[in-house]
Amino acid sequence: RDVEFDNGPTKELKAKHGALVVGYDCLPWLTLSLNAGGTDAKIDGITDYDKYKFSWGGGLMANIWSIEAAPIKLTFKGLGDFTQYRAGSGGLDWYEVFGAGTVNVEFFVDEDEAEMADLVSMGCYLGPAFSVIRGSMDTAGGSLDFNEDETFGGIAGVDLFVVFSTPTLQTAVKKIRDVPVLFTVVADPFLAGA
């Protein structure tokens, strides 16, 4: 993403981030989450990827409105997230505040049919997003502050598929490419082709 430094130039901030996210449904319509992981980043022309450092954050997801007519569920969701990032030996630190409103469409198979179904669930989402990034980078003369150049954008994606047995995993591996598949109750995932 493009960030603008206080001294004028706009540069691209690139980050590699991996995290474990744990969520808790505190109400039927509200999920709170915490995340922790590692981040490495670079600012084009100034720093390079160097060293992963600890990053952490928290968020919430609220189901604002939902309607279900099997096999489709339509949900409007609000998302919010705060994450503190640190990266590299060059003292690159920043935080991001993120918010979005999404339309989620989920195609599902009910539990009675799940055992015979090839796939249990597939969902996709799309919506507007807002993001604020503020940070600093250590330099020989102190530090330089930067801010995100563009704060409005969009969010889109596909939720993962869930399979519950070896036969459905084999079908999913044959039909699905480039999308994560979560599987359970599988005797040997390697023999199943996972």
Side-chain angles (χ1 to χ4, degrees), residues 119-138:
L119 304 174
V120 174
S121 172
M122 186 203 94
C124 52
Y125 56 91
L126 174 70
F130 173 79
S131 167
V132 173
I133 292 177
R134 303 229 190 285
S136 65
M137 178 185 71
D138 290 344

Side-chain angles (χ1 to χ4, degrees), residues 96-155:
E96 178 179 16
V97 176
F98 173 83
T102 62
V103 175
N104 300 53
V105 179
E106 182 180 3
F107 304 93
F108 61 92
V109 174
D110 68 30
E111 289 182 30
D112 297 334
E113 299 172 1
E115 206 167 300
M116 298 303 293
D118 290 339
L119 304 174
V120 174
S121 172
M122 186 203 94
C124 52
Y125 56 91
L126 174 70
F130 173 79
S131 167
V132 173
I133 292 177
R134 303 229 190 285
S136 65
M137 178 185 71
D138 290 344
T139 65
S143 70
L144 287 175
D145 293 334
F146 59 85
N147 300 301
E148 185 172 22
D149 192 38
E150 299 277 334
T151 57
F152 290 98
I155 182 173

